Amino acid sequence: MSSIRVIRRIASAVFALASIGSAIMWDRRRDLPFNSEGRYFDAASGTVVDQQSVLAFAALAITFALLAFASWPMARET
């Protein structure tokens, strides 16, 4: 197996893992009780989550999934 194929397979796996991670972040944040300004404050950790970040995580999950699916056939080429 050539080194280019190995690099392409690793890139495809990284894209797939990034897609899964972004999807998990989206799932955890989409049901938070946002206030009227579109923000959620977590007093335990002191973080503020903006409602627009939910859309950003969904967009990242879709983008990384498309990159993973697009790069997989290139990793199989000889």
Side-chain angles (χ1 to χ4, degrees):
M1 187 176 333
S2 69
S3 62
I4 296 294
R5 283 181 67 187
V6 171
I7 292 171
R8 287 180 178 171
R9 285 188 182 195
I10 290 172
S12 182
V14 167
F15 288 141
L17 290 174
S19 175
I20 292 168
S22 296
I24 290 170
M25 295 294 284
W26 168 78
D27 187 49
R28 290 185 179 171
R29 284 174 167 62
R30 68 184 172 100
D31 290 332
L32 292 176
F34 294 101
N35 64 11
S36 62
E37 295 175 351
R39 294 187 178 131
Y40 170 74
F41 177 68
D42 184 9
S45 64
T47 58
V48 176
V49 178
D50 195 35
Q51 194 170 13
Q52 292 176 347
S53 68
V54 176
L55 180 61
F57 281 119
L60 282 173
I62 292 169
T63 302
F64 284 133
L66 290 174
L67 285 171
F69 286 124
S71 64
W72 185 252
M74 289 189 298
R76 297 185 68 204
E77 292 178 359
T78 57

